[in-house]
Amino acid sequence: MGLKLDKIRLKIDGQEVEVEKGATVLEAAKAAGIYIPTLCYDEDLEPYGGCRLCVVEIEKMRGLPIACTTPATDGMVVHTSTPAVDAVRRTSLELLLARHPSDCLICNRRKPVIGEEQCSPYDVCLRSVAVTDRCVTCPANERCELQDVIDYLGITELRLPRDTERVPVDVSNPFFDFDRNRCILCARCVRACNEITGVGAIDLAYRGYSARVATFGDKQLLESICRSCGECVVHCPVGALAPKETHRPEREVKTTCPYCGVGCQMYLGIKDGKIIAIRGDKDNDVNRGRLCVKGRFGVGEYVTHPERLTSPLMNRNGEFVEASWDEALDEVARRFSRYNLDEVAVVSSAKCTNEENYILQKFSRAVLGTQNVDHCARL
Amino acid sequence: MAGLVTTFGSGAMTNSIGDIGDARCILIIGTNTTEAHPVIGWEIRKAARRGTRLIVANPRWIQLVREADLWLQHRPGTDVALLMGMCRVIVEEGLLDADFVAERCENFDAFKNSLEGFDLDFVERTTGVPRGQIVEAARMYAGNSPAAIFYAMGITQHSHGTDNVMATANLAMLTGNVGQPGSGVNPLRGQNNVQGACDVGALPNVYPGYQPVADPAIKDKFEQAWACSLSAQPGLTITEIFDAAYRGQIKALYVMGENPVLSEPEAKHAEEALQKLELLVVQDVFLTETARLADVILPGVTFAEKDGTFTNTERRVQLVRQAIEPVGNSKPDWWIIGQIAQRMGGKGFDLTGPSAIMDEIAQLTPAYGGISYRRLEEGGLQWPCPTEEHPGTPRLHTMLFSRGKGHFVPLEYRPPAELADDDYPLILTTGRSLFHFHTGTMSRKVRGLNVFQNEELVEMNPKDAAILGIADGDMVRVVSRRGAVVARACLTDASPAGMVFMTFHFAESPTNQLTNPALDPVAKIPEYKVTAVRIEKNGQMVAMTER
Ligand code: SF4
Ligand code: SF4
Ligand code: FES
């Protein structure tokens, strides 16, 4: 009984939905598997209510409330798709598309029906769309929330002329680019930077038509207070903020960040035997998806760096020469056997795993016979 | 760590990262959290923005000062005075949790007597913090329970680091801030697996699970388990190992994955010690400054090429999974050691892999008793986790302290081993940058991280720089009693006058050639945080008479 009190029931598109008190209409719909188009909504961020794509009709409520900020109440009756709702969504979207590359978005070759051919980066564009404006060259292609919304609304033509004036791309950050030509001003990056990291490096600046996401003083990202964590990139729904490395992994492996003692959980994205992408794991109590600059961008390159040691080396008269494992291991074993226990010592490592530290201290104590084993914990 | 063992009975972080939002007050001392432990730093910042009172005690301006209700800018090395001063205010104003002190702690009277030595005039003079702020901090911390303390190397890396830690523990016990969510004393570990390396016995005085080497029953236990005979004599700590090598007493050294040439204090001495060895074997992934001195180098693999576990700063054991094949002819470190051990006749080294090694750890280490790879597949486990059924322990000391009663420790203030004087008028303190890690072996290999910082910077206050005639970006020589290092000056108000700051990430400017090997007598941690230096421009020494 007590549990029931915290639950509310409502009806969305004729479907009965039960959710916890405090949920929004959008969350209730998601829980029931009903799609409502959104762009500024992000489950990691506070509700914002900026894009107006999530408008719905609610019986006994005036106007068209937005689902992402309206709390669900008991007995509510919600319609997610009506002519009035669709008209508002269409208008909001068209205004937005007047400032975003849109030719591909409404092209039938982007998402062809059966029998038609799909556009690829090497195809000649039939509509003479500039290469920088094409969906197939955008890093977000096929995982773009704007594409999802267009497909949902079935938009195939635009009534407003497009503003094609280009602004320069900010490529100053070594790990990601900021192409404002693709920005839809949903402010998810701004809110991620502020709510998740608290850095506040970027904000919505200027009004109306000149509105843009900018750093303090409109400087390049590298010259700003940005800490390069990439949380803004992760939360961008389109391809405006995107990693410089645009390849997509073939598979992912969950592991623990090798840098600091926080121990963030992450997925390494692998392609051709290399780590090419890293994302935070959301389902754990340590970092809940978040990563700092070292974890997100500072791993792949050192792991397969050309300066990695790839063979045992033995010092012969001041020169390092390559040796086989058997030669090197025999030499180490033979030479260590010559010393007694107070002449030897072992330095273990706080960068190595528990298992390796365990085995090394066991080796030190049980084989070398010495308790002289320590690591750089104190440093 | 030794400090928390004395007072609480366990040296680890008492609470969890997930607890941070529950705190009504957070005191951070000796940690630049947003730089060294970024995700925890964000969590603290978020709590502060939601109304948690935040007290930052740090001589330098750090990012979290922006969110702080109070910034105590105490002089380096005066932490004991500051914390005991706060304790004194709490006792005098009756803000203590008398029930908690009476029921769960011991030795309060001796501690209380030692507060005599910390009247606020003395504390103000020693720390440089106005007494009003000390009173305010004491009231804020005691008046907003649960309150949590976080500290890092800024507390431990002092010649009196153990005292510093015990002072934080005294403060927490005095106000009953141990055992509930959002409270506790939380040391943040520097490297990713410091906690784990300690847990599994990479320490000269304890076996896995902090079981003392000197205890005959424990010695028996491990002799049986490992089928060998063991020495009952605790071994040498790392700094003692280098001293012994320097004297020629240690002749052969095995180094796995560390770069002491850059990380040891008075690094020249460490380097010379390594050169005197008859045999140096280094196991690492790169040709580090230390590996260059080796007789044999064995190529290990990175975390991405092997399975294993790391234990994070909140005692959470988590899986590391192999993602790619070992690069070239490199091998996992556990395999290499097993091979050498077998060649030397060691028993129990026919290893099948990390999962089986964890099973052996679990058998011998009570706190890890219930940990296995099968369980870790489902997610990390926080020790103590003694049995298969045990869910792990997010919070320590909830009913009893690990040692039974919380032990108050009377303290007295002792100044840092080295003070500024006419020849060395500035205090150097070392720390970390967000963009690099430890001695830079990994992070310096990442081009993008070098874009943010690719050389050592000597952060100094513009006032000091003006006296010395140094401009932003000038190359300067930083000279201590032990050595000299060249680096670029960076003028910033973050460094108070009289103090300079450097990291130790850059082999080109090996900061630890300057630092003082003066050790804390208990924890044997060197005093990285207080080194007297002078700064020279163009090789000429400038007297800082105006100071
Ligand atoms: S990288 Fe991080 S700090 Fe920089 S703008 Fe993005 S969210 Fe903010
Ligand atoms: S991602 Fe950053 S905060 Fe997280 S463990 Fe790695 S270095 Fe630490
Ligand atoms: S998603 Fe609701 S207004 Fe943008």
Side-chain angles (χ1 to χ4, degrees):
Chain A
M1 263 318 274
L3 262 183
K4 267 263 180 275
L5 285 178
D6 296 321
K7 296 267 186 196
I8 46 172
R9 299 173 70 86
L10 63 161
K11 210 177 223 173
I12 306 178
D13 294 344
Q15 193 177 325
E16 288 279 355
V17 187
E18 195 179 69
V19 285
E20 272 179 40
K21 205 165 170 207
T24 61
V25 172
L26 179 63
E27 282 159 352
K30 283 186 96 173
I34 297 167
Y35 176 76
I36 296 178
T38 61
L39 280 175
C40 71
Y41 168 80
D42 190 313
E43 61 178 6
D44 297 338
L45 305 171
E46 299 294 326
Y48 184 63
C51 72
R52 301 199 60 81
L53 275 165
C54 68
V55 285
V56 290
E57 246 179 64
I58 300 178
E59 289 181 16
K60 304 204 193 84
M61 269 177 95
R62 263 183 293 144
L64 298 177
I66 47 183
C68 67
T69 57
T70 306
T73 56
D74 209 33
M76 216 177 219
V77 181
V78 182
H79 304 282
T80 69
S81 179
T82 66
V85 161
D86 288 347
V88 170
R89 285 181 183 154
R90 228 195 125 97
T91 312
S92 309
L93 197 59
E94 279 179 316
L95 280 168
L96 204 152
L97 288 178
R99 300 197 48 207
H100 184 285
S102 50
D103 300 292
C104 294
L105 285 169
I106 55 169
C107 174
N108 61 320
R109 289 178 75 221
R110 177 172 65 80
K111 237 189 160 191
V113 291
I114 305 158
E116 284 178 284
E117 230 179 297
Q118 182 166 6
C119 185
S120 90
Y122 305 106
D123 287 339
V124 175
C125 173
L126 302 180
R127 301 171 186 237
S128 322
V129 177
V131 66
T132 45
D133 278 0
R134 289 178 67 187
C135 272
V136 283
T137 58
C138 174
N141 190 27
E142 291 176 339
R143 46 183 176 184
C144 168
E145 292 179 34
L146 187 57
Q147 288 178 341
D148 296 345
V149 170
I150 302 245
D151 293 342
Y152 172 83
L153 288 180
I155 293 186
T156 51
E157 60 174 327
L158 297 171
R159 293 169 298 188
L160 291 172
R162 183 160 114 70
D163 165 27
T164 49
E165 195 191 329
R166 283 189 66 79
V167 293
V169 180
D170 182 346
V171 295
S172 63
N173 184 288
F175 304 113
F176 58 85
D177 293 339
F178 189 7
D179 183 350
R180 289 184 174 83
N181 301 295
R182 300 194 184 112
C183 173
I184 57 167
L185 298 174
C186 65
R188 275 158 74 171
C189 58
V190 170
R191 290 179 289 140
C193 188
N194 199 36
E195 290 175 29
I196 295 175
T197 76
V199 172
I202 43 180
D203 207 344
L204 283 179
Y206 312 106
R207 295 258 142 214
Y209 211 68
S210 332
R212 65 195 236 121
V213 173
T215 65
F216 184 74
D218 219 345
K219 289 193 285 255
Q220 298 225 318
L221 274 169
L222 192 66
E223 266 82 64
S224 75
I225 59 168
C226 162
R227 309 303 278 158
S228 196
C229 63
E231 287 295 337
C232 53
V233 179
V234 173
H235 291 89
C236 177
V238 294
L241 278 156
K244 286 196 158 55
E245 168 66 71
T246 52
H247 288 102
R248 297 192 186 175
E250 293 153 351
R251 59 192 172 89
E252 286 190 317
V253 178
K254 185 172 163 184
T255 192
T256 305
C257 176
Y259 277 111
C260 83
V262 177
C264 294
Q265 297 294 289
M266 51 166 57
Y267 284 95
L268 305 182
I270 313 296
K271 187 179 174 22
D272 301 331
K274 291 208 157 133
I275 301 168
I276 56 152
I278 292 185
R279 67 183 175 93
D281 165 49
K282 283 194 177 188
D283 302 318
N284 73 83
D285 295 330
V286 177
N287 55 314
R288 299 197 309 277
R290 300 165 292 180
L291 294 173
C292 79
V293 58
K294 289 192 291 294
R296 193 181 306 285
F297 299 118
V299 171
E301 195 170 336
Y302 90 80
V303 166
T304 44
H305 195 277
E307 283 171 31
R308 276 283 302 274
L309 293 169
T310 53
S311 160
L313 298 173
M314 297 212 265
N315 193 330
R316 294 276 176 258
N317 308 319
E319 293 263 314
F320 283 115
V321 294
E322 293 199 356
S324 73
W325 273 105
D326 274 334
E327 285 170 317
L329 295 167
D330 285 345
E331 165 127 345
V332 171
R334 196 182 66 245
R335 291 182 65 181
F336 261 106
S337 318
R338 292 189 204 142
Y339 299 97
N340 62 39
L341 65 133
D342 42 5
E343 293 174 328
V344 294
V346 168
V347 177
S348 196
S349 171
K351 290 199 274 271
C352 290
T353 64
N354 289 329
E355 292 74 8
E356 289 158 350
N357 275 284
Y358 173 83
I359 284 300
L360 189 60
Q361 61 84 38
K362 180 176 169 184
F363 166 70
S364 171
R365 291 173 159 139
V367 181
L368 297 179
T370 183
Q371 299 284 0
N372 296 336
V373 52
D374 201 359
H375 68 287
C376 297
R378 305 172 177 86
L379 315 185
Chain B
M1 201 180 70
L4 281 189
V5 174
T6 310
T7 48
F8 291 174
S10 165
M13 182 160 158
T14 61
N15 288 53
S16 294
I17 297 169
D19 264 23
I20 292 173
D22 296 332
R24 285 185 56 221
C25 176
I26 295 174
L27 165 64
I28 64 165
I29 179 162
T31 152
N32 188 354
T33 328
T34 54
E35 302 294 297
H37 300 90
V39 168
I40 291 181
W42 298 347
E43 202 71 2
I44 292 175
R45 182 182 268 150
K46 193 186 246 178
R49 290 192 179 179
R50 289 196 179 149
T52 298
R53 298 315 214 52
L54 179 63
I55 307 169
V56 173
N58 206 312
R60 309 178 66 232
W61 185 91
I62 59 172
Q63 296 269 339
L64 280 173
V65 168
R66 288 201 307 191
E67 272 77 26
D69 294 276
L70 200 54
W71 175 25
L72 310 175
Q73 205 177 3
H74 62 307
R75 295 196 182 100
T78 64
D79 308 82
V80 165
L82 182 70
L83 294 163
M84 291 293 274
M86 285 173 66
C87 289
R88 179 165 167 142
V89 174
I90 289 168
V91 171
E92 275 181 352
E93 299 194 355
L95 303 172
L96 72 176
D97 184 340
D99 291 344
F100 186 91
V101 169
E103 282 160 29
R104 296 205 40 195
C105 308
E106 61 184 28
N107 208 31
F108 177 67
D109 290 334
F111 159 74
K112 192 174 159 192
N113 290 337
S114 79
L115 291 177
E116 294 286 318
F118 294 92
D119 73 80
L120 287 195
D121 286 337
F122 167 77
V123 175
E124 179 176 277
R125 239 181 307 122
T126 309
T127 61
V129 179
R131 58 190 299 152
Q133 285 187 8
I134 299 166
V135 173
E136 202 185 338
R139 289 180 186 156
M140 196 179 281
Y141 176 81
N144 291 285
S145 283
I149 301 175
F150 286 84
Y151 69 79
M153 273 65 72
I155 278 287
T156 54
Q157 288 177 347
H158 286 280
S159 55
H160 310 303
T162 302
D163 287 356
N164 290 348
V165 173
M166 292 193 292
T168 63
N170 284 340
L171 181 60
M173 287 188 290
L174 189 60
T175 48
N177 273 309
V178 183
Q180 327 115 34
S183 70
V185 178
N186 300 292
L188 299 174
R189 299 321 189 107
Q191 298 184 67
N192 55 334
N193 202 30
V194 172
Q195 186 64 52
C198 294
D199 294 348
V200 301
L203 293 169
N205 58 336
V206 289
Y207 289 109
Y210 306 97
Q211 302 175 84
V213 161
D215 180 336
I218 299 295
K219 176 172 173 278
D220 275 0
K221 170 178 168 179
F222 281 91
E223 286 184 336
Q224 286 210 351
W226 293 344
C228 65
S229 68
L230 295 164
S231 158
Q233 190 67 38
L236 303 177
T237 64
I238 192 158
T239 318
E240 292 166 341
I241 290 172
F242 283 99
D243 285 343
Y246 193 82
R247 289 194 310 267
Q249 182 197 327
I250 295 283
K251 299 195 168 82
L253 183 68
Y254 197 102
V255 177
M256 171 175 81
E258 281 293 352
N259 192 11
V261 168
L262 287 190
S263 62
E264 278 292 299
E266 202 183 5
K268 262 256 135 23
H269 173 83
E271 189 174 338
E272 281 162 24
L274 292 177
Q275 280 158 349
K276 291 190 180 177
L277 291 166
E278 291 174 11
L279 174 61
L280 172 63
V281 177
V282 174
Q283 187 176 321
D284 212 318
V285 294
F286 289 110
L287 188 62
T288 61
E289 292 69 22
T290 303
R292 286 176 205 282
L293 305 174
D295 297 287
V296 183
I297 302 173
L298 303 172
V301 299
T302 68
F303 83 117
E305 299 146 88
K306 64 190 173 194
D307 288 337
T309 57
F310 293 149
T311 304
N312 81 348
T313 190
E314 42 157 21
R315 299 172 277 105
R316 195 186 298 269
V317 185
Q318 306 186 105
L319 283 180
V320 171
R321 291 184 180 86
Q322 179 172 1
I324 58 171
E325 288 302 312
V327 169
N329 203 4
S330 58
K331 298 276 187 195
D333 300 72
W334 60 266
W335 180 90
I336 301 173
I337 304 153
Q339 288 294 315
I340 298 170
Q342 281 181 307
R343 280 172 164 79
M344 293 180 72
K347 285 184 272 298
F349 286 92
D350 37 0
L351 309 166
T352 54
S355 170
I357 302 177
M358 178 53 84
D359 293 341
E360 185 174 324
I361 296 174
Q363 264 171 30
L364 295 168
T365 313
Y368 279 61
I371 295 181
S372 65
Y373 277 33
R374 189 182 51 74
R375 289 190 70 190
L376 292 176
E377 284 292 338
E378 316 282 303
L381 285 167
Q382 284 174 286
W383 66 256
C385 174
T387 61
E388 278 273 344
E389 297 74 38
H390 196 284
T393 310
R395 228 161 281 122
L396 298 178
H397 323 301
T398 45
M399 308 299 288
L400 278 178
F401 283 92
S402 302
R403 67 181 297 282
K405 292 228 170 189
H407 187 83
F408 277 105
V409 180
L411 292 171
E412 55 182 281
Y413 170 69
R414 281 174 290 171
E418 212 172 66
L419 294 168
D421 60 17
D422 287 348
D423 290 337
Y424 301 97
L426 297 164
I427 292 297
L428 165 72
T429 182
T430 66
R432 290 161 201 264
S433 140
L434 169 67
F435 298 104
H436 287 287
F437 183 67
H438 215 57
T439 64
T441 324
M442 293 143 65
S443 58
R444 289 295 305 284
K445 300 285 188 303
V446 181
R447 278 165 297 171
L449 294 176
N450 286 318
V451 168
F452 290 93
Q453 192 177 352
N454 66 355
E455 61 177 350
E456 188 60 63
L457 297 174
V458 186
E459 293 188 14
M460 60 190 300
N461 191 278
K463 285 197 205 109
D464 290 338
I467 297 171
L468 295 168
I470 290 168
D472 197 38
D474 281 356
M475 292 306 285
V476 295
R477 242 164 77 85
V478 186
V479 187
S480 82
R481 291 194 171 81
R482 286 156 296 277
V485 158
V486 175
R488 195 177 296 282
C490 165
L491 308 193
T492 164
D493 286 322
S495 248
M499 198 171 148
V500 296
F501 173 84
M502 294 169 78
T503 74
F504 57 104
H505 303 309
F506 302 92
E508 304 85 333
S509 308
T511 306
N512 281 324
Q513 302 210 348
L514 305 172
T515 48
N516 189 349
L519 295 182
D520 175 88
V522 185
K524 306 278 169 68
I525 303 179
E527 182 140 67
Y528 288 103
K529 298 299 176 189
V530 186
T531 305
V533 296
R534 67 166 176 263
I535 294 196
E536 300 172 356
K537 190 189 162 190
N538 309 329
Q540 79 210 44
M541 185 186 154
V542 189
M544 292 189 69
T545 38
E546 289 161 59
R547 293 190 49 75

